[in-house]
Amino acid sequence: MTDVVPAPAETGVPAADSPLEMLGPDSATWRHYVDWRGMLIGLWSGSMQNMHPKLAAGVWDYSDFFDERWERLHRSLYPISGVVFDRTPETGRQVRDYHLTIKGTMPDGSRYHALDPDVFYWAHATFWYGNIRCAEAFGTPISDADKRQMFEESRTWYSMYGVSMRPCPDTYEEFLEYWDHMCRHVLRDHDAVRTVLDITVLPPPPWMRSWMPPWLWRRQVTVIQRMFMWITTGLYDEPVRELLGLTWTPADQRRFRLFGRAVNLTMRLVPTRYRLHPRLRDAYDRLSGRVPADAPLLETPARNLPSLGERDKPIHYCPVHAQRRAQLPWQSNEVDD
């Protein structure tokens, strides 16, 4: 891995006016992008990212993630999904630029930077591959042809960040080899990983705080922790379970499959549009004409913004919530995340 991040000209970053291929509704990524079932893989995604030693170092040194985990998670869904659904290269470059100042020194004296291509690609790998893992566990399995198409589209998705394409495998099969290598030989346990996996110290999510008293949340959060830890263990590759000292039995696997089927059957009862995160619904609404194509992007609600003392830091996505003049009934006061 590199210790310094090369200048844009050295990494192949496209110029601001360079045309980029954008993903659209005909892509496998749009068809298979995770719906609200993605919340079930949240601990998996966050912990897998933080098992990369240099990514964990940046989170541990810079992020206020551990002080406002719910808010950070929920507002991050907007720009991350927006890279795919906004159909503009600007979102990807904005996400990249949140990481420009995140750099420092590892315990062994080596340097890290959040835009080290190997580090940045690992985070991207957990995002795009998480769609496949979520579908395998809690939805309709994705065909091999669509998996290969999603991998090709993941390269397009990654190119929107404007960082080096060097770490990207060339084929889906090579990606699977890369993933296995990372799980077996690169990922490490870290305090950041264990903190991500422990939700017992968290308050209720922001959208619950108006109606759930803290004492009731504290009474049930231990049960929620056990359930989510079991789900996350089921999603891990076996080398990762071994790394973290977790056990998984054949009986666990049978129960996990039954749980996944129950989730899938339940979600089929939910109208399609309400299975989607608001940013995804917004993209489809623009295509259908339900929302004007030139309307402001739908941004995270104010309840998810960083604290006042953090809002001016360049590491945060911190928009003013887009207020449309003519909101539709389903857009007002919705529980979006």
Side-chain angles (χ1 to χ4, degrees), residues 126-258:
T126 66
F127 290 138
W128 91 262
Y129 194 45
N131 290 281
I132 292 178
R133 300 303 284 266
C134 188
E136 290 174 338
F138 309 119
T140 302
I142 299 172
S143 69
D144 287 344
D146 274 3
K147 288 178 182 178
R148 289 182 173 83
Q149 184 178 341
M150 289 175 71
F151 167 74
E152 293 300 328
E153 291 167 358
S154 79
R155 292 173 57 88
T156 300
W157 175 356
Y158 187 67
S159 73
M160 297 175 197
Y161 294 114
V163 297
S164 172
M165 298 291 291
R166 174 182 55 77
C168 296
D170 292 324
T171 66
Y172 179 59
E173 288 72 21
E174 289 180 7
F175 173 82
L176 295 179
E177 293 176 3
Y178 159 83
W179 184 269
D180 184 68
H181 172 78
M182 294 294 292
C183 291
R184 293 181 184 277
H185 303 296
V186 178
L187 303 186
R188 295 290 183 270
D189 198 355
H190 190 278
D191 287 342
V193 176
R194 298 296 177 165
T195 305
V196 165
L197 292 174
D198 182 9
I199 64 173
T200 60
V201 297
L202 297 181
W207 59 271
M208 292 176 110
R209 292 173 195 167
S210 62
W211 57 269
M212 176 171 285
W215 66 265
L216 180 58
W217 170 258
R218 288 193 298 270
R219 184 164 294 181
Q220 67 181 4
V221 72
T222 302
V223 176
I224 296 172
Q225 164 72 22
R226 286 198 298 266
M227 182 188 74
F228 270 87
M229 194 64 217
W230 178 76
I231 292 170
T232 304
T233 303
L235 291 165
Y236 283 144
D237 296 75
E238 185 57 33
V240 175
R241 294 181 193 138
E242 294 176 1
L243 172 66
L244 299 180
L246 302 171
T247 59
W248 191 252
T249 67
D252 283 318
Q253 187 59 38
R254 289 191 294 271
R255 288 192 291 269
F256 188 74
R257 283 197 296 268
L258 290 173

Side-chain angles (χ1 to χ4, degrees), residues 75-144:
R75 69 173 180 265
S76 295
L77 295 175
Y78 283 79
I80 290 170
S81 59
V83 178
V84 174
F85 288 88
D86 290 352
R87 309 201 73 188
T88 169
E90 292 307 313
T91 304
R93 289 167 179 151
Q94 288 168 2
V95 171
R96 175 198 66 197
D97 290 350
Y98 299 141
H99 300 81
L100 286 171
T101 61
I102 301 176
K103 56 186 177 181
T105 303
M106 299 285 289
D108 64 2
S110 63
R111 302 285 296 171
Y112 73 82
H113 196 297
L115 291 182
D116 177 323
D118 296 284
V119 176
F120 205 76
Y121 183 75
W122 173 246
H124 174 70
T126 66
F127 290 138
W128 91 262
Y129 194 45
N131 290 281
I132 292 178
R133 300 303 284 266
C134 188
E136 290 174 338
F138 309 119
T140 302
I142 299 172
S143 69
D144 287 344

Side-chain angles (χ1 to χ4, degrees), residues 26-46:
D26 58 339
S27 66
T29 301
W30 274 51
R31 292 198 306 274
H32 297 296
Y33 201 89
V34 292
D35 53 27
W36 284 121
R37 279 170 277 204
M39 299 304 289
L40 294 173
I41 70 169
L43 292 187
W44 174 86
S45 180

Side-chain angles (χ1 to χ4, degrees), residues 2-15 115 117 162-167:
T2 57
D3 287 330
V4 251
V5 176
E10 299 169 330
T11 59
V13 174
L115 291 182
V163 297
S164 172
M165 298 291 291
R166 174 182 55 77

Side-chain angles (χ1 to χ4, degrees), residues 65 70-82 95 277 300 304 317:
F65 176 79
W70 291 122
E71 292 86 348
R72 176 70 177 267
L73 168 65
H74 292 317
R75 69 173 180 265
S76 295
L77 295 175
Y78 283 79
I80 290 170
S81 59
V95 171
H277 185 274
T300 192
N304 295 329
Y317 152 69

Side-chain angles (χ1 to χ4, degrees), residues 64 68 75 302 304-313 316 318:
D64 60 343
E68 47 141 23
R75 69 173 180 265
N304 295 329
L305 297 180
S307 63
L308 291 174
E310 292 283 326
R311 292 184 187 181
D312 291 333
K313 292 185 178 179
H316 296 303
C318 184

